[in-house]
């Protein structure tokens, strides 16, 4: 039985007159010669050679995404492909038609490019029975010179296990970035053989068959939200392109094996004093600034931060991204923490020179475990965007003092970056020269205090210049000593994991370090689980430590006896 659907009344004659099909000719029946194969429409390049023309093609429906909250169309693939591997044999048909996967259809319509993908807007679609398409087997990385452009519109299956390596856009657009061969790491994190080109060749963007923002039903969040490091296999779908990226629209259900379990607590670091570094992701008591926009969000954020600090159970914590409003924000955090763990358990160090940035660094400590030695110091060197906080502590029970230096170096963001501050193309981002100057000043400052322990968000990965400067001065990365390489990351950007948060001990203090760990409660978790209420489905929020920030806390043990 043959079905015919006319999409736009009166448009058929005009559309056919503009292209290859004569306007006066009656539509050919199924099985009659078509004007083009789908491969002709796709062409061998990035764009169709037939843009603006009207064509008639035949193929089998491989993916149906016609619902209003989906792509509003379907994919058709030629079951008799040409012999040119550079030309794709599948294409997207934009419009709603009474078709389903497995239908053989004849499509007449106008060819165009939309967001990098070739598509046909139909004036008529005829159903011609049933057919079948076997998914093309694909393995990443693709051979040299081959890109996913070859598979645009084609039903494919990926042969190897793929690991979730980015979930940032899961809640916003239903996207997860996958990678062959395990998660991706930052090329400037000092790992052998890791390059940007190699990372790009291993990645695949898994979409949800929709262009809707903030979908009501977020995929991969039940029974628990996918974490970076979880693995899927046999991923099958149609390759499409949009917003500058090839992506896979799944035609079979994708499930993840929860191979990266949530750590309930940080690994043991031993010692008699534990010290942590934690970026709070803009803990602000002032609303509608850089942190929460409502009181409800502020309460939700505070609950998560308290849960994280309770879980760390550190004796001293260096904090970043605390609102620079005197004692108000840091005081509110300590008050809430003490309400959970016991009155008077923690106190905070008053920063003598916090600078004029909206955020500053801070420090809290357990009064029963350590005692500040003298007043905190800082630096008024204008090289710092956020001056460091320097405080010497001694164990209450007696033992060797150490000096905490809390830092938050200039970020990699390129706002207002010009000249030497601009991105130099070396993978270190913008403002690297500023961070180098800050690390140099920090090195000199640390030389004047006893047993320095430099920690914080240095906004530099392990093999970047600022970290190299500190290491050259004798500072030793404690995570490099105690954390296995696969787990040595604290932040994920662009699907690549790396260590932005560091704990480096001076040579003398290094001998007293008893262990170190990175508690992976944040970087691996989807953004949709944080405290925000604007877009996050309310059922996903929990007042726990997970996604309390975008940085993982780092914890070290010191044996100061």
């Amino acid at each position: 039985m043959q079905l015919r659907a006319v999409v736009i009344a009166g448009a058929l004659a005009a559309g056919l007159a503009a292209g290859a099909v004569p306007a006066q000719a009656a539509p050919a029946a199924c099985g009659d010669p078509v004007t083009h194969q789908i491969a002709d429409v796709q062409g061998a390049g990035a764009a169709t050679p037939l843009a603006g023309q009207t064509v008639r093609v035949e193929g089998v429906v491989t993916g149906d995404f016609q619902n209003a909250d989906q792509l509003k169309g379907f994919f058709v693939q030629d079951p008799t492909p040409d012999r040119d591997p550079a030309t794709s044999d599948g294409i997207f048909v934009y419009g709603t038609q009474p078709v389903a996967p497995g239908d053989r259809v004849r499509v007449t319509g106008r060819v165009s490019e939309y967001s990098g993908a070739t598509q046909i807007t139909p004036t008529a679609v005829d159903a011609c029975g049933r057919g079948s398409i076997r998914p093309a087997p694909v393995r990443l990385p693709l051979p040299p010179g081959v890109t996913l452009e070859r598979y645009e519109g084609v039903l494919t299956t990926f042969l190897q296990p793929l690991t979730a390596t980015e979930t940032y856009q899961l809640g916003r657009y239903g996207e997860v970035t996958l990678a062959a061969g395990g998660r991706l790491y930052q090329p400037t994190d000092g790992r052998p053989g890791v390059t940007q080109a190699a990372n790009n060749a291993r990645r695949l963007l898994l979409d949800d068959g929709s262009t809707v923002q903030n979908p009501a039903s977020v995929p991969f969040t039940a029974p628990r939200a996918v974490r970076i490091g979880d693995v899927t296999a046999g991923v099958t779908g149609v390759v499409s392109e949009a917003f500058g990226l090839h992506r896979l629209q799944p035609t079979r259900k994708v499930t993840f094996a929860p191979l990266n379990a949530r750590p309930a607590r940080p690994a043991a670091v031993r010692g008699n004093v534990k010290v942590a570094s934690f970026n709070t992701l803009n803990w602000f008591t002032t609303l509608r600034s850089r942190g929460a926009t409502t009181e409800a969000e502020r309460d939700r954020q505070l609950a998560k931060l308290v849960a994280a600090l309770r879980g760390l159970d550190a004796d001293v914590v260096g904090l970043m991204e605390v609102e620079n409003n005197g004692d108000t924000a840091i005081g509110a955090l300590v008050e809430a923490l003490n309400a959970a763990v016991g009155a008077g358990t923690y106190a905070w160090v008053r920063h003598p020179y916090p600078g004029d940035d909206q955020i500053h660094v801070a420090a809290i400590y357990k009064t029963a475990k350590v005692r500040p030695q003298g007043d905190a110091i800082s630096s008024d060197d204008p090289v710092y965007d956020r001056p460091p906080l320097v405080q010497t502590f001694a164990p209450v029970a007696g033992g060797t003092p150490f000096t905490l230096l809390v830092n938050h170096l200039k970020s990699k963001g390129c706002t207002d970056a010009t000249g030497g501050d601009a991105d130099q193309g070396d993978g270190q981002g913008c403002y690297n020269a500023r961070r180098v100057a800050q690390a140099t000043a920090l090195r000199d400052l640390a030389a004047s205090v006893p047993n320095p322990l430099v920690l914080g968000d240095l906004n530099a990965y392990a093999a970047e210049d600022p970290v190299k400067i500190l290491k050259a001065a004798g500072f030793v990365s404690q995570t490099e000593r105690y954390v296995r390489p696969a787990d040595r990351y604290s932040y994920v950007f662009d699907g690549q994991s790396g260590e932005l948060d560091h704990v480096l001990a001076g040579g003398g203090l290094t001998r007293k370090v008893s262990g170190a760990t990175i508690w992976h409660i944040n970087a691996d978790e989807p953004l949709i689980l944080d405290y925000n209420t604007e877009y996050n489905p309310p059922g996903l929020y929990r007042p726990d430590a997970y996604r309390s920030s975008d940085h993982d806390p780092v914890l070290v043990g010191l044996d100061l006896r």
Side-chain angles (χ1 to χ4, degrees):
M1 177 178 179
Q2 187 180 93
L3 299 175
R4 178 165 180 78
V6 178
V7 179
I8 305 174
L12 177 58
L16 296 183
V21 181
Q24 69 277 13
C30 293
D32 286 351
V34 294
T35 64
H36 296 87
Q37 283 191 287
I38 292 175
D40 300 330
V41 180
Q42 284 283 9
T48 176
L50 303 178
Q53 297 189 33
T54 298
V55 299
R56 181 179 292 131
V57 299
E58 275 194 23
V60 176
V61 176
T62 55
D64 183 5
F65 301 93
Q66 298 185 76
N67 291 343
D69 60 349
Q70 293 182 310
L71 302 178
K72 302 181 179 63
F74 55 95
F75 292 91
V76 176
Q77 188 169 334
D78 193 336
T80 58
D82 68 357
R83 296 184 178 182
D84 185 355
T87 58
S88 164
D89 297 296
I91 199 163
F92 181 66
V93 180
Y94 179 74
T96 302
Q97 302 291 330
V99 299
D103 284 350
R104 185 166 184 139
V105 295
R106 168 179 293 245
V107 178
T108 303
R110 190 176 182 85
V111 180
S112 63
E113 290 285 320
Y114 180 77
S115 193
T118 303
Q119 65 179 26
I120 297 175
T121 301
T123 53
V125 174
D126 295 290
C128 304
R130 299 286 290 174
S132 62
I133 296 290
R134 179 175 296 179
V138 179
R139 183 178 293 276
L140 296 175
L142 297 173
V146 177
T147 70
L148 286 174
E149 182 71 23
R150 176 179 298 188
Y151 298 99
E152 183 187 299
V154 172
L155 183 66
T156 59
T157 187
F158 287 80
L159 298 176
Q160 74 262 61
L162 298 173
T163 301
T165 195
E166 173 68 284
T167 59
Y168 189 81
Q169 299 282 22
L170 176 61
R172 186 71 162 161
Y173 297 109
E175 299 173 353
V176 176
T177 301
L178 309 176
R183 74 164 70 219
L184 304 177
Y185 292 96
Q186 289 289 344
T188 56
D189 213 38
R191 300 169 188 273
V194 176
T195 66
Q196 192 62 63
N199 281 354
N200 292 343
R202 289 170 49 201
R203 74 173 77 209
L204 172 71
L205 182 58
L206 177 67
D207 210 339
D208 63 347
S210 169
T211 58
V212 172
Q213 297 184 33
N214 310 305
S217 177
V218 180
F220 314 125
T221 56
R224 75 109 152 113
V226 61
R227 279 171 55 89
I228 292 174
D230 289 346
V231 175
T232 186
V235 175
T236 300
V238 181
V239 174
S240 68
E241 185 175 2
F243 307 107
L245 293 172
H246 287 97
R247 54 195 65 222
L248 190 76
Q249 310 295 351
T251 55
R252 297 178 188 168
K253 184 178 180 180
V254 178
T255 58
F256 286 90
L259 300 188
N260 183 17
R262 279 178 163 177
R265 60 187 61 85
V269 294
R270 301 177 290 119
N272 66 327
V273 172
K274 295 187 294 183
V275 183
S277 172
F278 188 29
N279 184 318
T280 67
L281 184 56
N282 293 313
W283 163 240
F284 273 55
T285 51
T286 302
L287 299 178
R288 293 175 293 279
S289 184
R290 288 180 57 166
T293 57
T294 65
E295 290 186 5
E297 284 190 344
R298 186 173 59 196
D299 292 345
R300 283 158 59 113
Q301 182 184 19
L302 185 59
K304 281 190 166 291
L305 291 174
V306 167
L309 291 168
R310 287 189 69 184
L312 277 171
D313 193 30
D315 303 309
V316 181
V317 186
L319 300 170
M320 294 99 245
E321 294 195 14
V322 176
E323 184 179 8
N324 189 3
N325 61 348
D327 292 335
T328 303
I330 187 63
L333 179 58
V334 170
E335 180 182 3
L337 179 58
N338 283 341
V341 300
T345 300
Y346 282 94
W348 71 90
V349 176
R350 285 179 169 82
H351 200 312
Y353 186 73
D356 56 8
D357 197 281
Q358 283 186 291
I359 54 176
H360 75 314
V361 298
I364 63 175
Y365 63 96
K366 285 185 178 179
T367 58
K369 292 297 295 289
V370 296
R371 183 179 296 114
Q373 302 294 289
D375 295 331
I377 64 173
S378 186
S379 171
D380 59 2
D381 189 331
V383 72
Y384 294 111
D385 294 274
R386 294 169 285 267
L389 175 59
V390 183
Q391 176 67 65
T392 300
F393 291 97
V396 168
T400 305
F402 72 97
T403 303
L404 181 77
L405 295 96
V406 188
N407 304 272
H408 189 188
L409 302 191
K410 177 68 175 176
S411 77
K412 293 176 176 289
C414 291
T415 302
D416 299 325
T418 59
D421 287 332
D423 193 329
Q424 304 299 303
D426 58 2
Q428 301 189 75
C430 288
Y431 292 103
N432 186 55
R434 178 90 61 89
R435 289 189 295 276
V436 165
Q438 292 171 348
T440 302
L442 176 61
R443 175 200 64 192
D444 297 340
L445 179 61
S448 66
V449 299
N451 292 323
L453 186 68
V454 173
L455 58 74
D457 177 2
L458 301 186
N459 272 310
Y461 294 109
E464 294 186 5
D465 297 335
V467 179
K468 289 180 179 178
I469 286 171
L470 294 170
K471 289 180 177 178
F475 285 90
V476 178
S477 167
Q478 300 308 308
T479 53
E480 289 183 8
R481 290 181 69 197
Y482 290 102
V483 180
R484 67 181 187 131
D487 293 330
R488 208 165 59 237
Y489 61 90
S490 64
Y491 190 74
V492 175
F493 179 75
D494 193 27
Q496 299 174 149
S497 300
E499 193 173 7
L500 280 187
D501 303 84
H502 303 266
V503 177
L504 302 110
L509 188 63
T510 289
R511 293 190 291 271
K512 295 184 175 295
V513 175
S514 55
T517 189
I518 304 172
W519 192 21
H520 296 306
I521 55 174
N522 295 322
D524 289 339
E525 297 279 338
L527 176 68
I528 196 174
L529 301 184
D530 73 7
Y531 68 83
N532 284 279
T533 60
E534 292 97 334
Y535 305 118
N536 297 359
L540 295 180
Y541 174 79
R542 298 289 184 274
D544 55 26
Y546 304 104
R547 201 62 193 190
S548 53
S549 175
D550 52 349
H551 290 248
D552 289 328
V554 185
L555 182 68
V556 298
L558 302 177
D559 190 344
L560 301 174
R561 290 167 288 199

